[in-house]
Amino acid sequence: MRVEIWSDIACPWCYVGKARFEKALDAFPHRENIEVVHRSFELDPTLAKGDIEPVVKLLTKKYGMSEAQAQAGEENLGAQAAAEGLAYRTRDRDNGSTFDMHRLLHLAKERGRQDELIALLYKANFAEERSVFNDDERLVELAVAAGLDADEARKVLADPAAYADEVRADEREAKELGANGVPFFVLDRKYGVSGAQPAEVFAQALEQAWGSHSPLKLIQENDADACGPDGCAVPQH
Protein backbone atom coordinates (compact mmCIF):
# COMPACT_ATOMS: atom_id res chain seq x y z
CA MET A 1 0.00 0.00 0.00
CA ARG A 2 1.28 3.46 -0.86
CA VAL A 3 1.17 6.53 1.36
CA GLU A 4 1.87 9.85 -0.36
CA ILE A 5 2.84 12.88 1.70
CA TRP A 6 2.60 16.38 0.28
CA SER A 7 4.85 18.68 2.29
CA ASP A 8 7.28 21.58 2.22
CA ILE A 9 10.70 21.85 3.88
CA ALA A 10 9.77 25.34 5.13
CA CYS A 11 6.67 24.00 6.91
CA PRO A 12 7.22 23.34 10.64
CA TRP A 13 4.03 21.30 10.92
CA CYS A 14 5.30 19.07 8.11
CA TYR A 15 8.44 18.47 10.20
CA VAL A 16 6.36 17.60 13.26
CA GLY A 17 3.72 15.71 11.27
CA LYS A 18 6.32 13.49 9.62
CA ALA A 19 7.59 12.42 13.05
CA ARG A 20 4.07 11.67 14.29
CA PHE A 21 3.21 9.70 11.16
CA GLU A 22 6.43 7.69 11.40
CA LYS A 23 5.66 6.86 15.02
CA ALA A 24 2.37 5.34 13.88
CA LEU A 25 4.01 3.67 10.90
CA ASP A 26 6.74 2.06 13.00
CA ALA A 27 4.07 0.43 15.16
CA PHE A 28 1.92 -0.66 12.22
CA PRO A 29 1.85 -4.49 11.85
CA HIS A 30 2.14 -4.29 8.06
CA ARG A 31 4.95 -1.73 8.01
CA GLU A 32 7.03 -3.73 5.53
CA ASN A 33 4.18 -3.53 3.00
CA ILE A 34 3.88 0.26 3.10
CA GLU A 35 5.59 2.43 0.48
CA VAL A 36 6.01 6.10 1.44
CA VAL A 37 6.40 8.68 -1.32
CA HIS A 38 7.06 12.37 -0.65
CA ARG A 39 5.35 14.86 -2.97
CA SER A 40 6.20 18.51 -3.61
CA PHE A 41 4.24 21.44 -2.22
CA GLU A 42 5.67 24.95 -1.91
CA LEU A 43 4.05 27.17 0.70
CA ASP A 44 5.07 30.15 -1.43
CA PRO A 45 5.88 29.19 -5.02
CA THR A 46 6.31 32.87 -5.94
CA LEU A 47 9.57 33.21 -4.01
CA ALA A 48 12.69 33.63 -6.10
CA LYS A 49 15.93 31.94 -5.12
CA GLY A 50 17.35 35.02 -3.39
CA ASP A 51 14.18 35.98 -1.52
CA ILE A 52 15.27 35.25 2.05
CA GLU A 53 14.08 36.83 5.30
CA PRO A 54 13.86 35.96 9.00
CA VAL A 55 10.95 33.71 9.93
CA VAL A 56 9.70 36.08 12.65
CA LYS A 57 9.63 39.00 10.20
CA LEU A 58 7.76 36.85 7.68
CA LEU A 59 5.14 35.92 10.28
CA THR A 60 4.57 39.54 11.33
CA LYS A 61 3.96 40.57 7.71
CA LYS A 62 1.86 37.59 6.72
CA TYR A 63 -0.41 37.39 9.76
CA GLY A 64 -0.31 40.95 11.08
CA MET A 65 1.02 39.88 14.46
CA SER A 66 3.63 41.52 16.64
CA GLU A 67 7.19 40.22 16.84
CA ALA A 68 6.45 39.02 20.37
CA GLN A 69 3.45 37.05 19.15
CA ALA A 70 5.46 35.57 16.28
CA GLN A 71 8.26 34.58 18.64
CA ALA A 72 5.75 33.01 21.03
CA GLY A 73 4.43 30.95 18.14
CA GLU A 74 7.95 29.74 17.40
CA GLU A 75 8.43 28.79 21.04
CA ASN A 76 5.20 26.79 20.91
CA LEU A 77 6.36 25.00 17.78
CA GLY A 78 9.65 24.26 19.48
CA ALA A 79 7.78 22.60 22.34
CA GLN A 80 5.64 20.58 19.92
CA ALA A 81 8.77 19.43 18.09
CA ALA A 82 10.56 18.54 21.33
CA ALA A 83 7.60 16.37 22.34
CA GLU A 84 8.31 14.29 19.22
CA GLY A 85 12.03 14.10 19.95
CA LEU A 86 12.92 16.72 17.34
CA ALA A 87 15.42 19.55 17.67
CA TYR A 88 14.03 22.98 16.75
CA ARG A 89 15.74 26.38 16.68
CA THR A 90 13.14 28.85 17.89
CA ARG A 91 15.26 31.90 17.05
CA ASP A 92 17.19 33.26 14.09
CA ARG A 93 15.82 30.89 11.47
CA ASP A 94 15.28 32.21 7.96
CA ASN A 95 12.83 31.42 5.18
CA GLY A 96 13.18 31.26 1.42
CA SER A 97 12.36 29.35 -1.74
CA THR A 98 12.26 25.56 -1.41
CA PHE A 99 11.96 24.90 -5.15
CA ASP A 100 15.55 23.63 -5.52
CA MET A 101 15.08 21.30 -2.54
CA HIS A 102 11.98 19.81 -4.11
CA ARG A 103 13.85 19.29 -7.37
CA LEU A 104 16.61 17.46 -5.50
CA LEU A 105 13.99 15.34 -3.74
CA HIS A 106 12.75 14.14 -7.13
CA LEU A 107 16.30 13.14 -8.03
CA ALA A 108 16.54 11.36 -4.68
CA LYS A 109 13.28 9.53 -5.41
CA GLU A 110 14.75 8.17 -8.65
CA ARG A 111 17.84 7.02 -6.74
CA GLY A 112 15.88 5.45 -3.88
CA ARG A 113 17.16 8.00 -1.32
CA GLN A 114 14.18 10.32 -0.96
CA ASP A 115 13.32 9.58 2.65
CA GLU A 116 16.95 10.02 3.68
CA LEU A 117 17.21 13.40 1.95
CA ILE A 118 13.96 14.86 3.22
CA ALA A 119 14.89 13.95 6.79
CA LEU A 120 18.24 15.71 6.41
CA LEU A 121 16.64 18.78 4.82
CA TYR A 122 14.14 19.10 7.67
CA LYS A 123 16.85 18.77 10.28
CA ALA A 124 19.09 21.28 8.52
CA ASN A 125 16.30 23.85 8.19
CA PHE A 126 14.77 23.56 11.63
CA ALA A 127 17.61 22.44 13.89
CA GLU A 128 20.92 23.58 12.41
CA GLU A 129 22.49 27.02 12.21
CA ARG A 130 23.67 27.10 8.59
CA SER A 131 20.92 28.16 6.18
CA VAL A 132 19.64 25.86 3.45
CA PHE A 133 18.39 28.77 1.36
CA ASN A 134 20.36 30.17 -1.56
CA ASP A 135 23.35 27.95 -0.73
CA ASP A 136 23.81 25.29 -3.38
CA GLU A 137 26.87 23.77 -1.72
CA ARG A 138 24.92 23.30 1.49
CA LEU A 139 22.29 21.38 -0.47
CA VAL A 140 24.98 19.33 -2.21
CA GLU A 141 26.45 18.38 1.18
CA LEU A 142 23.04 17.22 2.37
CA ALA A 143 22.44 15.31 -0.87
CA VAL A 144 25.77 13.49 -0.46
CA ALA A 145 24.94 12.69 3.18
CA ALA A 146 21.70 11.16 1.89
CA GLY A 147 23.63 8.92 -0.48
CA LEU A 148 23.44 10.92 -3.72
CA ASP A 149 26.31 11.73 -6.06
CA ALA A 150 27.70 15.23 -5.55
CA ASP A 151 28.23 15.99 -9.24
CA GLU A 152 24.76 14.78 -10.11
CA ALA A 153 23.25 16.98 -7.38
CA ARG A 154 25.23 20.01 -8.60
CA LYS A 155 24.07 19.37 -12.16
CA VAL A 156 20.43 19.40 -11.05
CA LEU A 157 20.88 22.60 -9.05
CA ALA A 158 22.64 24.31 -11.96
CA ASP A 159 19.74 23.58 -14.32
CA PRO A 160 16.50 25.28 -13.19
CA ALA A 161 14.52 23.08 -15.56
CA ALA A 162 15.74 19.80 -14.04
CA TYR A 163 12.78 18.12 -12.34
CA ALA A 164 10.82 21.38 -12.48
CA ASP A 165 7.96 19.70 -14.33
CA GLU A 166 7.80 16.97 -11.68
CA VAL A 167 7.55 19.54 -8.89
CA ARG A 168 4.79 21.47 -10.67
CA ALA A 169 2.93 18.24 -11.44
CA ASP A 170 2.91 17.33 -7.74
CA GLU A 171 1.60 20.78 -6.86
CA ARG A 172 -1.17 20.61 -9.47
CA GLU A 173 -2.19 17.21 -8.18
CA ALA A 174 -2.35 18.53 -4.63
CA LYS A 175 -4.88 21.14 -5.75
CA GLU A 176 -6.88 18.50 -7.62
CA LEU A 177 -7.03 16.43 -4.44
CA GLY A 178 -8.24 19.42 -2.45
CA ALA A 179 -5.05 20.02 -0.47
CA ASN A 180 -4.86 23.71 0.37
CA GLY A 181 -2.18 23.24 3.00
CA VAL A 182 0.39 20.77 4.21
CA PRO A 183 1.20 18.26 5.47
CA PHE A 184 -1.36 16.29 3.49
CA PHE A 185 -1.32 12.50 3.60
CA VAL A 186 -3.03 10.31 1.00
CA LEU A 187 -3.38 6.62 1.82
CA ASP A 188 -3.96 4.15 -0.99
CA ARG A 189 -5.57 6.96 -3.02
CA LYS A 190 -8.69 6.40 -0.91
CA TYR A 191 -8.16 8.28 2.35
CA GLY A 192 -6.75 11.70 3.14
CA VAL A 193 -5.39 13.06 6.40
CA SER A 194 -4.74 16.79 6.66
CA GLY A 195 -2.35 18.40 9.11
CA ALA A 196 0.08 17.23 11.78
CA GLN A 197 -2.40 14.94 13.48
CA PRO A 198 -1.54 12.93 16.61
CA ALA A 199 0.11 9.57 16.00
CA GLU A 200 -3.12 7.86 17.09
CA VAL A 201 -5.00 9.44 14.19
CA PHE A 202 -2.38 8.24 11.72
CA ALA A 203 -2.51 4.76 13.24
CA GLN A 204 -6.28 4.67 12.78
CA ALA A 205 -5.97 5.90 9.19
CA LEU A 206 -3.41 3.21 8.38
CA GLU A 207 -5.63 0.50 9.84
CA GLN A 208 -8.65 1.76 7.95
CA ALA A 209 -6.82 2.07 4.64
CA TRP A 210 -5.22 -1.34 5.06
CA GLY A 211 -8.57 -2.91 5.93
CA SER A 212 -10.11 -1.72 2.68
CA HIS A 213 -6.98 -2.36 0.64
CA SER A 214 -7.24 -5.49 -1.48
CA PRO A 215 -4.81 -6.94 -4.00
CA LEU A 216 -5.79 -7.40 -7.61
CA LYS A 217 -8.12 -10.35 -8.07
CA LEU A 218 -7.73 -12.33 -11.26
CA ILE A 219 -10.87 -13.53 -12.96
CA GLN A 220 -10.01 -16.64 -14.95
CA GLU A 221 -10.95 -20.28 -15.27
CA ASN A 222 -7.95 -21.61 -17.16
CA ASP A 223 -4.49 -20.37 -18.03
CA ALA A 224 -4.39 -18.59 -21.38
CA ASP A 225 -1.52 -17.81 -23.73
CA ALA A 226 0.51 -14.78 -22.70
CA CYS A 227 3.89 -13.13 -23.09
CA GLY A 228 6.30 -12.84 -20.19
CA PRO A 229 9.96 -12.09 -19.41
CA ASP A 230 10.99 -15.33 -21.07
CA GLY A 231 9.12 -14.57 -24.28
CA CYS A 232 5.84 -15.72 -25.78
CA ALA A 233 4.48 -19.22 -25.81
CA VAL A 234 4.49 -20.77 -29.27
CA PRO A 235 1.24 -22.57 -30.13
CA GLN A 236 1.73 -26.30 -30.58
CA HIS A 237 -0.49 -28.02 -33.17
Side-chain angles (χ1 to χ4, degrees):
M1 186 175 77
R2 173 179 286 188
V3 177
E4 297 161 278
I5 307 173
W6 272 263
S7 60
D8 192 11
I9 302 303
C11 164
W13 289 118
C14 296
Y15 181 47
V16 172
K18 180 176 182 291
R20 291 175 178 173
F21 170 75
E22 288 176 347
K23 185 180 294 184
L25 186 62
D26 288 343
F28 188 56
H30 308 286
R31 171 65 183 92
E32 68 278 5
N33 300 117
I34 304 298
E35 176 194 12
V36 177
V37 177
H38 298 280
R39 301 291 191 191
S40 301
F41 189 108
E42 296 169 274
L43 292 176
D44 188 352
T46 68
L47 289 176
K49 188 167 184 173
D51 294 340
I52 302 171
E53 64 180 337
V55 167
V56 168
K57 183 179 178 180
L58 169 69
L59 294 172
T60 59
K61 291 194 305 182
K62 188 171 183 178
Y63 299 108
M65 59 177 64
S66 68
E67 285 195 10
Q69 289 173 319
Q71 187 58 53
E74 282 294 284
E75 299 293 339
N76 176 58
L77 277 164
Q80 298 271 358
E84 304 304 328
L86 301 172
Y88 190 99
R89 292 178 66 233
T90 59
R91 295 181 181 273
D92 302 321
R93 285 196 309 106
D94 56 6
N95 181 77
S97 171
T98 55
F99 186 58
D100 283 349
M101 292 179 240
H102 285 295
R103 296 193 300 112
L104 276 180
L105 283 166
H106 277 279
L107 168 66
K109 179 176 180 292
E110 287 189 355
R111 301 295 179 263
R113 310 299 295 176
Q114 191 185 45
D115 200 60
E116 289 81 359
L117 180 57
I118 199 168
L120 288 169
L121 288 170
Y122 276 134
K123 182 182 178 184
N125 184 42
F126 290 107
E128 298 176 1
E129 186 173 348
R130 186 177 171 187
S131 176
V132 294
F133 301 104
N134 201 25
D135 186 347
D136 284 0
E137 279 308 302
R138 174 64 166 147
L139 296 183
V140 170
E141 289 174 11
L142 294 169
V144 170
L148 298 177
D149 178 76
D151 290 338
E152 192 172 31
R154 286 193 185 95
K155 185 177 179 180
V156 169
L157 292 170
D159 179 7
Y163 298 100
D165 289 345
E166 287 82 351
V167 173
R168 298 307 182 208
D170 277 357
E171 293 174 338
R172 284 194 302 271
E173 191 166 17
K175 290 182 179 179
E176 291 168 1
L177 291 170
N180 298 315
V182 285
F184 188 72
F185 302 76
V186 176
L187 294 80
D188 206 28
R189 285 290 164 138
K190 294 178 182 177
Y191 300 93
V193 178
S194 179
Q197 301 287 347
E200 295 77 14
V201 173
F202 288 121
Q204 182 181 4
L206 285 166
E207 290 288 353
Q208 187 171 353
W210 184 264
S212 64
H213 174 76
S214 57
L216 183 69
K217 295 180 180 179
L218 294 177
I219 301 174
Q220 63 182 40
E221 292 184 2
N222 301 300
D223 291 335
D225 294 330
C227 294
D230 296 326
C232 301
V234 178
Q236 302 294 318
H237 297 289

